Amino acid sequence: MIKKKLIRRCPVCNALDGEILQHIDLHLPTEMNIPGEYDVVVCEECGATFADTAVSDDQLANMYCKNNKYEHDTDVDRELHSRMTEYLYEVIEPFVNKNDNILDVGCGDGGNLFYLQERGYPNLAGVEIDPNQIKRIIQCGIQGYAASVYSEVPAEMKKRFSFIMANQVFEHLLYPSIAVDRLIDYLAPGGTILIDTPSALGFPVFLREIPNYFNPEHINYFTPKSLDSLMKSKGFKRISSDELAYRPTPLETPEITCYLFYKKEAGVGNNSIPYAFSYDDSGARAISAYYENIGKKDRRQIAVVKKIVSDGRKIVVWGTRSFARHVFGSNPAFIENVACFVDNNVDEQGKKVFGKNVFSPEKIREYPDAVIIICVMLNPSSVKRQIFQMGLGNVCVTLADF
């Protein structure tokens, strides 16, 4: 591996020396205004794996607010979110009491909070950077605070919450260590923190497409050990089992998630005493194993599109996000055969991808002889079902199947 002086400090131990595992080119649209390339690296000090990106926190915050994925969800997307919310509740129920003061940090559209509200949990609050989502949460009778995970905690919220959850948040953060400090400010004495995040250990287990694991949003590739090290450095001890640290999600296209519950250890974590980080290479080994195998899948998918192009067929691409950008951005010669892109997300419609217009799926009716290439990573069968319900007779190719 090639050694390098890191652009961003290690999200676990704050070191500045690392080694390159892989280079990523995201083929991002210019309007996203964030760096489109980065190295996946391993920290030389503690072994944590992460994206060594030059992106700023302001750029990430702007991306999350402008590219909000909640406001225009399809019925299928809402079904998936509902399934994941139910699954999360099964995990947290043994660790939370009905009368706990519960805080969801990075609560998004409030789905987890609404689920708890429906089940009789009265003391709920959410923190979310997008003020539009907070307005909705407040309108539904839940306390909401428009703030970053790094924001100073208001006096009335300090040491108030006996249960704090950060659900699918820490993989997005430039500064996880600072985020933990803020969680400590919110946490009541004796309280519990849940951090759940995709586990790098699962990357070679479920060979999902490269953009599923390596994209503009996911910039930390934690393992249970690396998260434990981060939390131990702040004086916390994990109270949950190894089984919860390695859980496949209940989706058509699953991934391994670690659900880790922590409590503060009395008298531990004094910042005046430096924490000695142990080295954990499990993340680096998992990512290396993933890339040894994903190349074969990636080449199969490219070969499928190449055959369609060589046959002179017109293509309609269903999907405009990272998977489609990976396939067609890496192979610009394919673009000539693309009639258009389609997407259910109305925020995407009217835009251009690689110079081609994005329409609603109804546009496909104008191209009855085109091959529909489905570039969707989450639940692609729902797209096939929608195509059937629309009565379209086009040949369909689902790249995730190859």
Side-chain angles (χ1 to χ4, degrees):
M1 289 188 288
I2 300 173
K3 296 179 183 292
K4 70 174 294 190
K5 187 63 71 174
L6 301 174
I7 298 170
R8 61 179 287 226
R9 290 184 177 274
C10 172
V12 173
C13 74
N14 212 37
L16 264 175
D17 292 299
E19 294 179 299
I20 299 172
L21 292 172
Q22 191 71 31
H23 183 75
I24 301 293
D25 187 346
L26 301 168
H27 305 286
L28 298 180
T30 55
E31 61 265 24
M32 286 190 72
N33 191 33
I34 63 173
E37 298 186 46
Y38 60 74
D39 292 323
V40 177
V41 298
V42 54
C43 173
E44 283 194 344
E45 184 69 25
C46 72
T49 47
F50 55 97
D52 190 32
T53 173
V55 71
S56 70
D57 189 57
D58 285 343
Q59 287 175 315
L60 285 174
N62 187 58
M63 178 184 71
Y64 291 129
C65 290
K66 281 192 172 181
N67 295 276
N68 192 292
K69 66 181 180 181
Y70 300 109
E71 292 184 13
H72 300 291
D73 278 347
T74 65
D75 289 341
V76 170
D77 291 332
R78 280 189 287 272
E79 178 188 336
L80 290 174
H81 293 155
S82 176
R83 196 182 308 164
M84 286 303 296
T85 299
E86 293 172 6
Y87 187 69
L88 176 66
Y89 182 67
E90 292 176 12
V91 172
I92 71 172
E93 189 179 17
F95 296 88
V96 65
N97 297 312
K98 272 280 169 68
N99 292 321
D100 276 338
N101 282 321
I102 299 172
L103 178 66
D104 188 355
V105 176
C107 63
D109 66 349
N112 295 330
L113 294 170
F114 298 144
Y115 192 90
L116 292 171
Q117 185 183 51
E118 290 169 359
R119 278 146 189 80
Y121 290 79
N123 307 312
L124 303 170
V127 172
E128 168 61 36
I129 197 169
D130 186 346
N132 292 322
Q133 300 304 330
I134 289 299
K135 287 179 185 176
R136 177 171 177 250
I137 289 166
I138 293 173
Q139 288 169 356
C140 293
I142 295 174
Q143 288 183 297
Y145 304 89
S148 161
V149 69
Y150 311 120
S151 299
E152 289 297 322
V153 177
E156 67 272 17
M157 296 181 70
K158 284 188 175 180
K159 307 303 178 187
R160 175 180 157 191
F161 296 97
S162 49
F163 186 85
I164 298 174
M165 54 184 173
N167 172 228
Q168 302 289 300
V169 170
F170 270 63
E171 66 270 25
H172 300 265
L173 300 180
L174 270 178
Y175 311 111
S177 179
I178 297 175
V180 176
D181 291 338
R182 296 292 80 78
L183 297 187
I184 292 171
D185 291 340
Y186 286 116
L187 189 66
T192 300
I193 292 175
L194 162 66
I195 298 174
D196 70 87
T197 180
S199 173
L201 300 185
F203 292 6
V205 177
F206 295 112
L207 282 178
R208 303 283 301 279
E209 285 70 25
I210 291 171
N212 182 76
Y213 296 127
F214 305 96
N215 53 58
E217 300 179 15
H218 290 192
I219 58 175
N220 303 312
Y221 318 115
F222 287 110
T223 66
K225 286 185 178 179
S226 63
L227 262 176
D228 283 350
S229 289
L230 173 61
M231 295 302 285
K232 284 178 182 177
S233 74
K234 303 292 184 177
F236 284 84
K237 179 180 180 180
R238 186 174 10 135
I239 61 170
S240 52
S241 66
D242 287 341
E243 186 270 332
L244 284 179
Y246 194 86
R247 295 269 292 214
T249 53
L251 300 175
E252 175 188 341
T253 48
E255 60 184 35
I256 299 295
T257 296
C258 47
Y259 296 89
L260 307 178
F261 294 79
Y262 297 96
K263 281 186 178 291
K264 202 84 162 65
E265 290 189 281
V268 180
N270 187 331
N271 287 335
S272 65
I273 305 173
Y275 178 78
F277 289 92
S278 58
Y279 191 85
D280 166 39
D281 68 349
S282 61
R285 286 187 286 108
I287 290 173
S288 295
Y290 167 79
Y291 269 99
E292 286 176 9
N293 291 285
I294 195 60
K296 299 174 185 176
K297 181 174 184 177
D298 201 47
R299 287 190 292 274
R300 285 197 302 270
Q301 292 172 342
I302 298 304
V304 168
V305 181
K306 188 174 182 179
K307 178 65 167 61
I308 295 169
V309 170
S310 66
D311 288 344
R313 302 291 299 275
K314 273 294 180 186
I315 295 169
V316 173
V317 182
W318 191 307
T320 59
R321 298 272 178 153
S322 53
F323 187 14
R325 291 185 177 278
H326 169 70
V327 173
F328 290 90
S330 302
N331 301 273
F334 295 166
I335 298 297
E336 185 177 343
N337 288 62
V338 174
C340 65
F341 288 77
V342 300
D343 202 293
N344 281 317
N345 187 338
V346 298
D347 285 342
E348 294 297 306
Q349 295 164 15
K351 294 181 180 179
K352 288 182 181 287
V353 176
F354 302 124
K356 300 292 184 175
N357 291 315
V358 180
F359 298 101
S360 80
E362 284 296 320
K363 187 71 173 180
I364 300 173
R365 299 189 191 280
E366 299 180 18
Y367 301 99
D369 297 323
V371 177
I372 302 172
I373 295 182
I374 301 172
C375 285
V376 174
M377 292 184 291
L378 269 179
N379 205 20
S381 65
S382 67
V383 175
K384 288 188 277 189
R385 190 159 59 246
Q386 183 177 345
I387 290 170
F388 174 78
Q389 291 167 348
M390 291 173 67
L392 298 174
N394 302 66
V395 173
C396 295
V397 174
T398 305
L399 284 190
D401 290 343
F402 291 89

